[in-house]
Amino acid sequence: MDGKAGSLRRVRMSTRAFRAWTDLWSRSGWLVQAHCASGQARLLDPFGAVLASGTPEDCMALAARVARPAGCRRGVVLLHGLGHHPGGLARVAAALADTGWAVANLGYASLRQPLAAHARAASTAARALFEDGAAEVAFVGHSLGGLVARSAMARAGEDGWRAGRLLLLGSPARGAGIARAVAALPPYRVLTGDCGQAVTPARAALVPVPDCRGIAVVAGGTGGRGYNPLLPGDNDGIVTVAETRLPEREDGFALVRARHTPLAASDGAIRAALGFLELGRLAA
C-alpha cells in the first residue's frame, strides 16, 4: 500500500471511530440510525442511500414496511469496541449469516455517548429481531461492546424481547487496569468520553451480568507472559486475561493467541461464535 492509500485508509478509520450515528434497527441491509447529538433518525437502504428522516419511531415504522421481512428464527446482535466500527466483526457476522442467523452488526457512537445510551439502542435492535421472528436474541460483544451487550441484555424483559446466549470477546468484564491508569488524564477523558470511564474497574463493576441462556468468554493472549510486558500476567496488549473472566457465570472460556483488536476477526472468535451460540459450548 502506498503512502497516499495508507493515509486515505487512516482517514476513513478515524471517521468511523468518531461516528455520530448509532444503529437502532437492521434488516437485510436496511438500517435506521439516530444522531448522537440531535436524536434525529434516518432510514438507509442497503446501498447506504438516505431514504427518509424523522423520529426514530417513524423511521422504524417505515423501515418495517419497505424492508423485506427476514422471517428469522435465530437473531444475533454484534457490538464493536471503544473507538472501533462494525468492520472489526465483519468476519464473525458473515460466518453467522452463512449458517442461518439474522445478524445485526451494529455501529454506535462509542466516543460520544454514555454506555447506557448504547445499551438502549442495542436493545431496540434486539427487539426488532425478536419481532421479526427470532425466538431469542444472542449477543456478541468485543471489548467495550461486551459491557454494552451485558447492559442491553439485562433490559430484555422490560423492553419486550427474549435474551439468548452472550459471547464476550476480549471484554474487560472486571474493568481494564490500563484504563484506570489513564482515566484522569484530560486527553483521554476528552477523546473517549463516558465510555472511556465505563471500562475502568470501578465502572465495569456496575454493569449488570444478565440473566440469559449462557455466557462464554474468549480472551486474547499468548498463553504465557502476554503481549504487553507492562501488564500483569497474560494479556492481549490492552486487557489482561484475568480481567476478562466472569468465573461465577461462565459457561465456557477459551484463550486465543491474538492481540486485542485482531481478536474480533480471528478464526478463534469465529469458532467460538458458531460453537457457543449454536450449541452452547466452545469449539476445541
Side-chain angles (χ1 to χ4, degrees):
M1 179 181 291
D2 61 32
K4 182 177 180 180
S7 297
L8 289 174
R9 183 180 180 186
R10 286 191 292 272
V11 168
R12 286 196 295 269
M13 294 287 283
S14 175
T15 301
R16 287 175 175 178
F18 285 94
R19 63 180 293 147
W21 295 88
T22 290
D23 299 338
L24 302 177
W25 186 97
S26 173
R27 178 197 285 172
S28 303
W30 295 75
L31 284 173
V32 174
Q33 301 177 321
H35 194 275
C36 67
S38 69
Q40 180 85 350
R42 64 185 185 182
L43 170 62
L44 278 65
D45 70 12
F47 301 100
V50 178
L51 296 189
S53 61
T55 68
E57 293 77 16
D58 288 345
C59 287
M60 285 189 285
L62 175 60
R65 293 197 299 270
V66 299
R68 179 176 57 85
C72 62
R73 295 299 300 163
R74 303 186 298 177
V76 59
V77 174
L78 275 54
L79 295 165
H80 60 76
L82 182 68
H84 289 281
H85 55 86
L89 285 161
R91 292 193 69 214
V92 173
L96 289 169
D98 286 345
T99 54
W101 289 80
V103 181
N105 185 12
L106 304 181
Y108 62 103
S110 61
L111 301 177
R112 302 193 180 203
Q113 287 182 303
L115 186 145
H118 303 317
R120 288 193 298 272
S123 181
T124 298
R127 186 178 67 239
L129 287 172
F130 185 71
E131 292 172 346
D132 206 28
E136 60 185 25
V137 182
F139 271 73
V140 176
H142 174 236
S143 194
L144 168 69
L147 299 179
V148 176
R150 282 166 48 187
S151 187
M153 294 184 91
R155 302 175 53 94
E158 65 180 287
D159 287 348
W161 56 278
R162 187 175 298 114
R165 295 187 174 104
L166 169 61
L167 178 64
L168 301 172
L169 302 174
S171 181
R174 300 173 178 273
I178 196 169
R180 177 176 54 202
V182 299
L185 298 178
Y188 177 80
R189 297 178 70 90
V190 170
L191 177 65
T192 64
D194 178 82
C195 282
Q197 304 300 310
V199 294
T200 63
R203 287 281 300 278
L206 302 177
V207 178
V209 179
D211 182 14
C212 58
R213 282 191 64 196
I215 300 174
V217 170
V218 175
T222 66
R225 299 179 63 182
Y227 289 102
N228 187 343
L230 300 180
L231 295 178
D234 200 2
N235 63 82
D236 62 13
I238 301 293
V239 179
T240 70
V241 172
E243 290 167 343
T244 69
R245 303 302 301 269
L246 281 172
E248 69 280 4
R249 289 295 309 275
E250 285 176 18
D251 296 293
F253 172 80
L255 178 68
V256 173
R257 189 175 183 87
R259 293 181 181 272
H260 186 69
T261 299
L263 173 64
S266 67
D267 290 342
I270 293 172
R271 287 194 300 270
L274 295 175
F276 185 68
L277 296 190
E278 295 193 351
L279 305 174
R281 62 178 183 269
L282 294 176

